[in-house]
Amino acid sequence: MDAHRRAGQNTKPTAERHVPVLLSRSIQLLEPAISAAAAAGRTPVIVDATLGMGGHTEALLSRFPELTVVGLDRDTQALELAGARLAPFGDRVHLVHTEYDGIREALDGLGMESVDGVLFDLGVSSLQLDEVDRGFAYSFDAPLDMRMDTTTGITAAELVNTASLEELRRIIRTWGEEKFAHRIAHAIVQGREKTPFATTAQLVEVIRAAVPPAAGKSGGHPAKRTFQALRIAVNEELDVLTRAMPAAINAIGVGGRIVVLSYHSLEDKIVKHAFAEGLVSSAPAGFPVELDEHKPYLKSLVKGTGKPSEEEISDNPRAASAKLRAVERITERRAS
Ligand SMILES: C[S@@+](CC[C@H](N)C(=O)[O-])C[C@H]1O[C@@H](n2cnc3c(N)ncnc32)[C@H](O)[C@@H]1O
């Protein structure tokens, strides 16, 4: 059985399954760091911290013939499909199964001290959403799983069947920004007493019954925000991202660049906060001189956030919520 069939019903070629977002802008932002390394006689290295279907990586490897890419993903299915797609690039690609906060250990394993850039394209891939069996989508009935790494951790079904009412309310309110969090959490706790949750359809039905019908008209699908919240909780997405940002900053050398594409405000807030620390002097107020160790260690490459064009959004609806932030490391001071 080939990789596409084993992955599920979707037999589209890998390259057609996920359209990379803000691709040319990301390449343009990483280009100076890649060219500077090549000009200094080094092999430039970029870490694609969210390899997915390998769309960004393939474009980078094609555009810069001297480049090596280290591709990370916590999803073994993504690594398998991207590995097949990127095979023509041979030893210019190294794939590592890890969460992206393990970037330092991944580079140590490859004997790489520092790299020239890191790209994060956060969130779920089209593969994960389209693969019915993975249980990420509220629009298909499937086992209620939602783990990006199916080799470890608890499933969304285990979470909704065991968390306390208060814990469920907090998850759905905070990570789903759902105003009916209390009603939904309550309905889940009542529902599981009758039948423990096993499928996405069961959960969608309970959520639909818990929210006022009029709420669905303006706020999209009634299960959308709860599914986002559970996915974030199951994968501990925001904790891992919070740890990954300083790890990525400390993994690039001076002149190295980081580009991050995020898709909701909770992710963007973490990225903004991590970069903000490096963009300002850490000299205590009233300190007469700014010592080197206090100087900002990052320079912002984008004013505010970069956004996709109308044209890109109409070609690729997934791009609609994308926000791009990018920085360059300008001193050796380390992120904490
Ligand atoms: C939006 S997709 C990336 C798509 C890719 N840029 C492309 O063009 O094909 C995000 C990928 O990041 C992975 N991912 C999400 N969180 C992760 C984490 N904490 N550590 C490692 N990989 C993660 C997901 O499994 C998914 O494959």
Side-chain angles (χ1 to χ4, degrees):
M1 207 187 272
D2 71 18
H4 298 130
R5 289 222 163 272
R6 197 159 50 246
Q9 305 78 336
N10 196 331
T11 52
K12 269 195 208 165
T14 308
E16 289 172 25
R17 295 179 69 175
H18 183 100
V19 183
V21 175
L22 284 163
L23 180 62
S24 44
R25 185 82 180 106
S26 308
I27 292 180
Q28 187 191 43
L29 283 161
L30 292 169
E31 198 265 342
I34 296 169
S35 302
R42 290 189 292 105
T43 299
V45 181
I46 296 290
V47 175
D48 183 344
T50 50
L51 181 72
M53 300 287 86
H56 284 94
T57 284
E58 184 181 61
L60 282 163
L61 288 164
S62 306
R63 168 81 173 69
F64 304 105
E66 67 284 27
L67 180 69
T68 288
V69 173
V70 177
L72 316 180
D73 209 296
R74 71 199 307 194
D75 183 336
T76 52
Q77 191 180 11
L79 287 165
E80 188 183 351
L81 291 171
R85 177 183 190 174
L86 301 170
F89 296 99
D91 62 5
R92 294 176 57 209
V93 197
H94 303 276
L95 303 188
V96 185
H97 179 219
T98 180
E99 292 180 15
Y100 41 54
D101 60 340
I103 184 170
R104 181 68 266 154
E105 293 74 12
L107 294 178
D108 287 347
L110 294 165
M112 293 177 179
E113 201 175 310
S114 75
V115 294
D116 302 292
V118 185
L119 171 69
F120 290 87
D121 177 17
L122 301 172
V124 272
S125 68
S126 310
L127 163 84
Q128 290 161 335
L129 287 173
D130 292 351
E131 273 320 311
V132 174
D133 292 354
R134 305 289 302 264
F136 283 99
Y138 45 78
S139 39
F140 308 117
D141 188 16
L144 187 57
D145 190 325
M146 297 198 199
R147 287 170 302 162
M148 290 185 187
D149 182 351
T150 53
T151 66
T152 182
I154 66 159
T155 64
E158 288 172 284
L159 179 67
V160 295
N161 288 329
T162 57
S164 67
L165 172 68
E166 183 44 35
E167 180 69 354
L168 286 170
R169 195 198 62 77
R170 188 189 59 77
I171 289 172
I172 298 168
R173 161 81 68 204
T174 318
W175 294 332
E177 300 178 291
E178 169 62 71
K179 62 176 184 252
F180 299 111
H182 182 74
R183 286 182 187 219
I184 294 172
H186 210 265
I188 290 175
V189 170
Q190 274 188 334
R192 75 189 185 197
E193 273 163 21
K194 279 188 240 139
T195 324
F197 287 92
T199 66
T200 51
Q202 256 178 298
L203 183 60
V204 169
E205 201 183 303
V206 165
I207 297 168
R208 219 189 263 286
V211 301
K217 296 207 176 97
S218 55
H221 192 288
K224 183 176 162 190
R225 286 171 296 280
T226 302
F227 268 59
Q228 171 180 298
L230 293 174
R231 192 199 87 205
I232 290 174
V234 162
N235 295 290
E236 297 176 5
E237 287 180 31
L238 303 181
D239 288 347
V240 183
L241 182 61
T242 304
R243 292 193 294 269
M245 282 295 119
I249 293 166
N250 292 332
I252 55 170
V254 172
R257 292 180 161 210
I258 300 185
V259 176
V260 187
L261 306 175
S262 55
Y263 296 88
H264 57 76
S265 59
L266 300 164
E267 287 171 344
D268 183 55
K269 227 160 84 190
I270 292 171
V271 177
K272 182 179 174 188
H273 186 261
F275 286 172
E277 187 197 303
L279 292 168
V280 293
S281 167
S282 65
F287 214 64
V289 283
E290 188 186 48
L291 304 174
D292 277 352
E293 70 236 45
H294 292 146
K295 289 203 168 113
Y297 53 88
L298 296 177
K299 171 176 94 176
S300 181
L301 300 170
V302 179
K303 222 164 161 227
T305 53
K307 308 252 169 51
S309 64
E310 291 298 320
E311 197 188 345
E312 176 168 3
I313 295 170
S314 78
D315 287 349
N316 182 12
R318 208 183 84 82
S321 54
K323 278 189 184 161
L324 178 150
R325 291 188 188 270
V327 289
E328 180 177 317
R329 186 160 183 191
I330 51 171
T331 73
E332 296 284 355
R333 197 180 124 204
R334 288 176 65 79
S336 53

